[in-house]
Amino acid sequence: MCNTVAVTRARWTSETVPLPPHALAWLSQRVGLGEPLPEVPVSVPPSELSEDAFTALEAVSAISLDPADRLGRAGGLSYLDLLRRRGHGELAVPDAVVQPASPEEVLEVLRVCVEYDIAVVPFGGGTSVVGGVEALRGAKSAVVALDLAGLGSLVSVDPVSRVAVLQAGVTGPEAERLLGEHGFTLGHVPQSFERATVGGFAATRSAGQASSGYGRFEDMVESVRVATPVGEWVAGAAPASAAGPDLKQLVLGSEGLFGVITEVSVRVRPKPSAPRYEGLVVDGWEAGVALVRSLAQAGALADVTRLSDVDETEVALALAGSKADLVKKYLRVRGVRQPCLVILGWECRSRAATLSALRGHKVVRLGRAMGASWLHGRFNGPRQRDALLDAGVCVETLETATRWSRVSELRDAVRGALVAELGDPVVMCHVSHAYETGASLYFTVLVPRDLADPVSQWGRAKVAASDAVSRLGTITHHHAVGRDHLPWLEKEIGVVGVGVLRAVKERLDPTGILNPGKLV
């Protein structure tokens, strides 16, 4: 018999932020509001974990068959995940939740799961938006979610080398708190920061908003400790090495398919004493791209360097409330016809170098208030998704990266694909991360939800956008592959590349228990 569980919002977001009246008014006028999607209690099927397997797992780790616990680890936080949790679409629910308290317990759990042929889905903060933590069992008799919340400690800090060892279940805010007690910061703040974990950052090659200063997460990693079905593996031994290929790079981005990350040794930095954020506006997308490219190629990027296109800037100003009209009037007076907002934030890089490199570019400085406003609302996207669902709006994101010479072509191609499938959506885009040779583009889509078939509505749009992305850029810059991007992976890395990943998988996980249906 299935258990029916009413899902509470608090399980899926760290904080739900309601939409203010002026935001609802703008949405109604610009996007259009659909009918609220009714929340239907979700039925949790009975566990298919055998009694013998349960007993064996219980002997080595904490384990729960409680329907609410199992439902709490059923998938990530994509738009389709949120729909499924409201009772629309099929939701894969794990048969049990296993909660080890140490790296040694993780090894024991994997040993038991190999013995009983049980699929294992490593679960950190559950923030995947690409199906990376879906409880798929593949050909296995059952599937368990391996919740790593019990691995939540700061193991050590080496202040001389500026290296810290964190267990995989430490969340972003907790990592900052623990390191802050020693005067250090990790500086890794993706939009999933409030819930995502250190192990998840490593497993997905995460990129924080200040990546220009602190680096992507893989740039911070010194070594990783991994539990695999064939034993424990520690990859990485020094700041740099020529002892063959860098094997820790096989772990970073492996999404739990090769092993379960239990500890990560990371480079840390002193806490910034006086971070500063500012806003400025350029006239037009092309002018903005040229500005960010020049900063990147001059080595003068701010730690946070973010360029919004006209549509995203329009939304940002619309949501700013009463101050927006004053800003728009000021920009018109300054001759700006297509305002594109640029946010610059300095924590460990030189502000003077950035300002010097800005000379020669026509910009309108909006000062620290605009930067502080962005910083204050940097996590509102995840927090407001339930409110947008209640307003009848389909809201989803996707991201990619490409060379500078193709940035605008890629933006136009993705926008065109989304418009062709969705009719008249609002498609916002920003440069989220910049490099000497290219940049990442991050898209946010708003459109009235199709009540008849909301799952297919976004599914078709995602396929069309991904086809456009794969022609001009990478299928993912920092969201990872998961289940959703798998159809486009072979085109990007080639048949030989896929074969390499499969060979590593077969060596480290010969019975295929780890995270079936993802990456390869």
Side-chain angles (χ1 to χ4, degrees):
M1 179 181 296
C2 292
N3 293 282
T4 299
V5 179
V7 181
T8 59
R9 302 273 173 85
R11 296 192 69 86
W12 318 121
T13 56
S14 54
E15 179 183 345
T16 296
V17 176
L19 294 169
H22 69 270
L24 279 171
W26 179 87
L27 275 170
S28 179
Q29 180 179 8
R30 176 61 183 85
V31 181
L33 304 180
E35 291 294 324
L37 195 68
E39 273 189 79
V40 180
V42 178
S43 295
V44 179
S47 173
E48 295 188 17
L49 189 68
S50 71
E51 187 173 333
D52 287 346
F54 176 86
T55 301
L57 285 168
E58 188 179 36
V60 299
S61 180
I63 183 171
S64 173
L65 300 180
D66 181 82
D69 288 340
R70 293 163 55 205
L71 189 58
R73 282 81 172 178
L77 289 177
S78 71
Y79 172 67
L80 295 184
D81 287 327
L82 298 182
L83 288 180
R84 292 172 187 134
R85 290 202 182 94
R86 290 184 175 221
H88 301 271
E90 295 183 9
L91 181 66
V93 180
D95 294 294
V97 177
V98 182
Q99 296 176 295
S102 69
E104 292 76 19
E105 280 192 19
V106 175
L107 276 169
E108 285 299 300
V109 168
L110 295 186
R111 179 187 60 76
V112 172
C113 289
V114 168
E115 181 181 351
Y116 288 90
D117 204 30
I118 299 164
V120 179
V121 178
F123 194 95
T127 60
S128 173
V129 292
V130 293
V133 292
E134 281 192 51
L136 305 180
R137 69 186 61 204
K140 305 305 180 186
S141 60
V143 55
V144 300
L146 184 65
D147 190 326
L148 296 165
L151 277 66
S153 299
L154 172 62
V155 178
S156 65
V157 176
D158 177 350
V160 176
S161 306
R162 293 185 178 176
V163 172
V165 179
L166 291 156
Q167 288 188 321
V170 177
T171 64
E174 184 67 359
E176 290 302 315
R177 185 190 71 78
L178 291 168
L179 293 171
E181 293 175 352
H182 298 268
F184 291 109
T185 180
L186 187 57
H188 188 74
V189 184
Q191 197 171 53
S192 60
F193 172 77
E194 294 177 299
R195 286 188 47 159
T197 61
V198 168
F201 294 154
T204 59
R205 300 179 75 92
S206 174
Q209 293 167 342
S211 65
S212 296
Y214 295 100
R216 291 168 58 93
F217 195 74
E218 68 262 28
D219 301 324
M220 305 175 183
V221 175
E222 293 284 304
S223 65
V224 283
R225 183 180 179 185
V226 188
T228 82
V230 296
E232 188 167 73
W233 178 26
V234 177
S241 171
D246 186 356
L247 293 181
K248 75 173 180 287
Q249 294 298 334
L250 280 175
V251 179
L252 300 175
S254 62
E255 303 185 38
L257 268 80
F258 302 157
V260 179
I261 296 169
T262 57
E263 290 181 359
V264 185
S265 174
V266 290
R267 181 202 68 213
V268 294
R269 301 269 180 87
K271 289 186 67 174
S273 57
R276 177 169 178 144
Y277 284 76
E278 298 178 8
L280 57 87
V281 165
V282 296
D283 194 2
W285 169 257
E286 294 297 343
V289 170
L291 183 150
V292 176
R293 178 173 60 82
S294 70
L295 292 179
Q297 294 178 343
L301 289 165
D303 298 292
V304 172
T305 305
R306 177 183 175 117
L307 163 70
S308 295
D309 70 0
V310 171
D311 294 279
E312 186 167 280
T313 301
E314 176 194 352
V315 173
L317 292 176
L319 298 182
S322 58
K323 297 179 181 179
D325 290 337
L326 292 175
V327 173
K328 291 176 183 177
K329 183 176 180 181
Y330 174 63
L331 293 175
R332 284 195 296 270
V333 169
R334 296 294 302 271
V336 177
R337 297 294 176 256
Q338 293 185 306
C340 290
L341 177 65
V342 180
I343 296 295
L344 301 173
W346 297 272
E347 295 190 6
C348 63
R349 304 195 97 187
S350 167
R351 178 171 175 266
T354 306
L355 296 184
S356 176
L358 285 175
R359 293 172 189 158
H361 293 274
K362 184 179 179 182
V363 302
V364 178
R365 302 271 293 274
L366 298 180
R368 299 180 72 171
M370 183 62 75
S373 176
W374 176 84
L375 193 63
H376 176 74
R378 69 199 300 189
F379 303 125
N380 279 353
R383 293 172 177 176
Q384 291 178 335
R385 297 183 75 188
D386 277 313
L388 287 165
L389 280 170
D390 289 341
V393 176
C394 163
V395 54
E396 188 54 295
T397 63
L398 54 96
E399 45 76 50
T400 179
T402 194
R403 307 288 189 221
W404 285 115
S405 57
R406 285 186 154 185
V407 162
S408 293
E409 182 184 3
L410 176 55
R411 171 179 167 269
D412 292 346
V414 173
R415 174 186 294 275
L418 290 167
V419 169
E421 287 295 333
L422 296 173
D424 186 28
V426 172
V427 181
M428 298 170 273
C429 178
H430 65 259
V431 170
S432 58
H433 307 271
Y435 307 91
E436 186 175 357
T437 58
S440 166
L441 295 180
Y442 193 96
F443 296 85
T444 303
V445 186
L446 299 171
V447 70
R449 185 176 54 251
D450 180 353
L451 271 178
D453 193 355
V455 173
S456 292
Q457 178 191 26
W458 176 249
R460 292 191 303 270
K462 172 72 173 181
V463 168
S466 296
D467 284 342
V469 161
S470 70
R471 291 193 296 270
L472 297 166
T474 176
I475 193 60
T476 175
H477 172 263
H478 58 268
H479 281 172
V481 176
R483 185 186 189 187
D484 294 357
H485 292 148
L486 188 56
W488 294 273
L489 182 63
E490 184 176 300
K491 180 179 178 182
E492 180 161 335
I493 69 173
V495 174
V496 172
V498 171
V500 170
L501 293 181
R502 286 180 176 154
V504 175
K505 171 77 168 172
E506 290 168 5
R507 175 63 184 87
L508 296 174
D509 180 24
T511 64
I513 65 168
L514 290 172
N515 216 5
K518 326 292 168 49
L519 188 61
V520 295

